[in-house]
Amino acid sequence: MSTASKGFNWIKAAPWLYTAALFILWEGAARGFNLPQYILPAPTVIAQAIVQYWSAIWKNSLQTLYTTLAGFLLAVVGGLALGILVGWSRFIYAGLYPLMVGFNAIPKVALVPVLVIWFGIGTVPAILTAFLIAFFPIVVNVATGLATIEPEVEDVLRALGAKKMDIMLKVGIPRSMPYFFGSLKVAITLAFVGSVISETVAANSGLGHMMLGAQSQFNVPLVFAGLVMLAIEGIVMYAIMAWIEMRMTGWAHRSQTMAA
Amino acid sequence: MQPLVTIDKVEMRYGGEDGLLAVRDLSLSVAKGEFAAVVGPSGCGKSTLMKLVTGLYIPQQGVVTVAGSRVTKPVSIVGMAFQNPTMLPWRTTLDNILLPLEVVDRHRRRLRANKAEYVAKAEALLETVGLKGFGQKFPWQLSGGMQQRASLCRALIHEPDLLMLDEPFGALDSFTREELWCIIRDLHAAQGVTIVLVTHDLREAVFLADRIFVMSSRPGRIIEERAIPFARPRDLEIMYEPAFTDVVHELRGSIADARKAA
């Protein structure tokens, strides 16, 4: 609270100050070392490119956002369902866990050609790549939450005649919610990785496709413009997920709220 | 008085034929309305005893009987409280206390229609343990002692015939512990519930119980049974009388022997 009494909240301002500092350093380096635009364009040049190509950037950003969100939503539904299934029974857990680890170890970029064979070039492989890459952390987190029920709570309820279903509904699933909402932040960032990977390999639109085209024409400022847009979309979605996490599971963050 | 709980020559082994033998030749009986305490060296199978009586474990040999019928599955007429209050942090204290009602068959059907009646009952219980008006707080907003009181309310909400307490005061400071001793003493007097208290605190056991069972070290069995004659209601002052101290001292001797024998 000492920051508030001084009139200016440095903590609140810190993200903006650091971001501004990064861009100023970047601008200074690009100008000072006289770097050519096709190596590292200065932020002002990138800003010009964003303005100049705005309609294309906007259209492709929306496409990437759409495939990312679609894949992410599939991952949420699928990850939650599979996580509960895996957390439900030790038998399913023991059987599926090595399979999932193995599957997760496969670089998803290697799957894009397969997806293209199945579904053709375009939106569907991007959505599916985003889904495949984002759903593993959700499964693992939900299953962890279910697996760490305090044995005493389980005893209290089982002694009263509770069925497995009761324990899951009353204790297991609410308990795993902080893990689930926490994993959404990881999953949404991974979903962006997945959709952009797929767009750079096989697509007609999206930021990945746009950047690939710009690169082949040596339009490096436009490549960086795409990167900036990706970063912005990533930050916004991450912030939304963090906000949802706070709203839904405030009880799990009690130490922070108590301290505040 | 007829016994509410009898354990007859029970043997319980964990993890199959060659597993750890937790209790052997364990026999005891607790009368209806009685306050029994079980004391013993650590690792003597006190918690196993809890789980046998509540039907969470079924013994390989011997018979456990609760309220006249042999225990073959969890018995819903018991309430349990542990050293760790295990309140669910996403529920208010009141909703935590109501949790058993959502599980026990005969209550869960009536719960929705008769919510107000049950809430009133929970609030009355909160008042008896000195937590009036704390129902809407979340458990993590309460101190350790207050959480433990709420956990007692949760154990009592479905009007169990038998209350099983597994070192419920172990993690509390000594003043809070004395306060809760008095609360338990008064609850026992007022509600006529049968209580089995598992503890390693001998003063606690002698202050609260009508009868004390001393368990041997693993594999656990009862090596001494002792009636505590002090008149009720007992005042905390009793703990400073020579007669009280003598009982505690003798029990301490028995447990020391049990440990040496191990």
Side-chain angles (χ1 to χ4, degrees):
Chain A
M1 289 303 111
S2 60
T3 45
S5 59
K6 282 179 196 153
F8 186 76
N9 192 340
W10 286 97
I11 304 288
K12 271 241 156 103
W16 305 104
L17 293 175
Y18 276 68
T19 311
L22 171 71
F23 281 112
I24 290 167
L25 271 177
W26 181 353
E27 184 80 34
R31 283 170 192 267
F33 299 114
N34 212 7
L35 291 173
Q37 271 189 17
Y38 57 84
I39 302 282
L40 181 67
T44 45
V45 178
I46 298 170
Q48 277 167 23
I50 292 179
V51 173
Q52 188 185 342
Y53 300 105
W54 178 248
S55 72
I57 290 174
W58 179 242
K59 196 185 96 222
N60 289 309
S61 296
L62 285 184
Q63 167 70 15
T64 300
L65 190 63
Y66 160 64
T67 53
T68 303
L69 283 180
F72 172 73
L73 288 178
L74 284 177
V76 168
V77 175
L80 201 54
L82 191 61
I84 289 174
L85 197 68
V86 168
W88 189 281
S89 117
R90 296 183 71 111
F91 179 69
I92 299 176
Y93 180 88
L96 279 184
Y97 203 71
L99 284 179
M100 291 198 306
V101 170
F103 182 77
N104 193 48
I106 299 172
K108 298 302 169 293
V109 66
L111 285 177
V112 178
V114 180
L115 293 174
V116 169
I117 293 173
W118 289 347
F119 302 103
I121 281 177
T123 306
V124 179
I127 292 176
L128 289 180
T129 316
F131 160 71
L132 289 173
I133 205 168
F135 109 123
F136 190 74
I138 300 179
V139 174
V140 170
N141 273 280
V142 172
T144 306
L146 292 178
T148 51
I149 298 176
E150 293 97 334
E152 287 99 341
V153 182
E154 214 177 329
D155 283 350
V156 167
L157 295 182
R158 276 184 48 219
L160 295 171
K163 305 278 176 296
K164 184 89 184 173
M165 186 65 148
D166 293 321
I167 294 171
M168 279 292 165
L169 288 176
K170 306 276 180 216
V171 186
I173 292 174
R175 217 197 114 71
S176 66
M177 283 302 108
Y179 296 85
F180 167 68
F181 286 109
S183 74
L184 294 189
K185 293 186 293 190
V186 181
I188 188 70
T189 4
L190 287 176
F192 272 109
V193 173
S195 58
V196 174
I197 281 176
S198 179
E199 283 166 5
T200 38
V201 176
N204 311 320
S205 56
L207 284 174
H209 176 256
M210 183 193 83
M211 282 154 64
L212 200 68
Q215 178 232 25
S216 64
Q217 297 157 22
F218 270 96
N219 191 347
V220 181
L222 183 55
V223 175
F224 273 86
L227 290 178
V228 169
M229 289 309 290
L230 274 177
I232 291 172
E233 286 187 348
I235 291 172
V236 169
M237 293 317 294
Y238 185 96
I240 291 174
M241 294 309 143
W243 179 78
I244 292 176
E245 184 190 5
M246 253 347 245
R247 279 300 302 266
M248 302 303 287
T249 56
W251 56 266
H253 300 272
R254 55 201 185 253
S255 54
Q256 290 165 27
T257 44
M258 293 286 269
Chain B
M1 276 199 281
Q2 74 188 72
L4 182 73
V5 180
T6 40
I7 298 179
D8 191 24
K9 300 193 185 67
V10 158
E11 180 172 320
M12 176 76 205
R13 192 187 281 277
Y14 292 107
E17 291 261 315
D18 307 317
L20 181 70
L21 190 60
V23 298
R24 183 166 59 192
D25 199 20
L26 178 68
S27 298
L28 64 85
S29 89
V30 180
K32 200 165 171 37
E34 194 177 26
F35 197 135
V38 179
V39 298
S42 70
C44 69
K46 286 176 288 192
S47 298
T48 307
L49 176 81
M50 292 267 301
K51 293 186 177 177
L52 285 169
V53 174
T54 50
L56 289 172
Y57 292 156
I58 308 302
Q60 281 102 358
Q61 277 178 40
V63 179
V64 180
T65 315
V66 173
S69 51
R70 184 173 176 170
V71 174
T72 52
K73 60 174 173 40
V75 278
S76 65
I77 58 156
V78 286
M80 293 167 103
F82 302 87
Q83 177 168 347
N84 180 350
T86 62
M87 298 266 120
L88 305 178
W90 57 89
R91 286 171 166 246
T92 61
T93 304
L94 189 73
D95 284 339
N96 264 292
I97 294 171
L98 295 175
L99 179 66
L101 301 176
E102 296 170 23
V103 173
V104 176
D105 257 336
R106 73 195 133 94
H107 292 294
R108 74 193 300 172
R109 297 205 190 92
R110 302 185 61 235
L111 185 60
R112 192 164 296 209
N114 302 281
K115 188 81 191 258
E117 172 196 327
Y118 285 114
V119 168
K121 201 164 115 190
E123 271 165 358
L125 267 176
L126 278 171
E127 194 173 346
T128 25
V129 300
L131 281 182
K132 189 175 162 55
F134 284 92
Q136 293 313 315
K137 291 253 189 290
F138 283 93
W140 36 272
Q141 294 171 312
L142 307 180
S143 69
M146 290 159 100
Q147 285 188 38
Q148 198 54 267
R149 290 170 208 221
S151 146
L152 284 175
C153 293
R154 183 180 62 189
L156 288 167
I157 187 74
H158 59 294
E159 295 178 346
D161 296 330
L162 176 64
L163 186 58
M164 300 291 293
L165 304 174
D166 189 354
E167 301 194 9
F169 317 119
L172 303 174
D173 66 89
S174 55
F175 292 112
T176 313
R177 204 179 303 159
E178 287 184 359
E179 261 173 54
L180 282 175
W181 289 349
C182 295
I183 283 171
I184 283 283
R185 173 196 65 193
D186 298 342
L187 280 173
H188 177 244
Q191 309 209 348
V193 59
T194 310
I195 302 183
V196 176
L197 167 72
V198 168
T199 181
H200 55 232
D201 183 337
L202 297 177
R203 281 161 28 96
E204 173 176 306
V206 177
F207 175 67
L208 287 170
D210 300 314
R211 216 136 51 93
I212 295 181
F213 298 94
V214 180
M215 271 179 101
S216 68
S217 46
R218 191 179 290 142
R221 63 194 168 81
I222 304 300
I223 50 170
E224 190 179 331
E225 183 183 331
R226 181 173 188 133
I228 304 299
F230 306 120
R232 291 180 180 279
R234 296 174 191 163
D235 189 86
L236 283 172
E237 285 299 317
I238 196 181
M239 291 196 287
Y240 302 97
E241 285 172 15
F244 185 95
T245 322
D246 288 345
V247 176
V248 172
H249 197 183
E250 284 168 39
L251 280 169
R252 201 195 158 278
S254 316
I255 291 181
D257 291 345
R259 288 176 52 134
K260 233 177 278 161

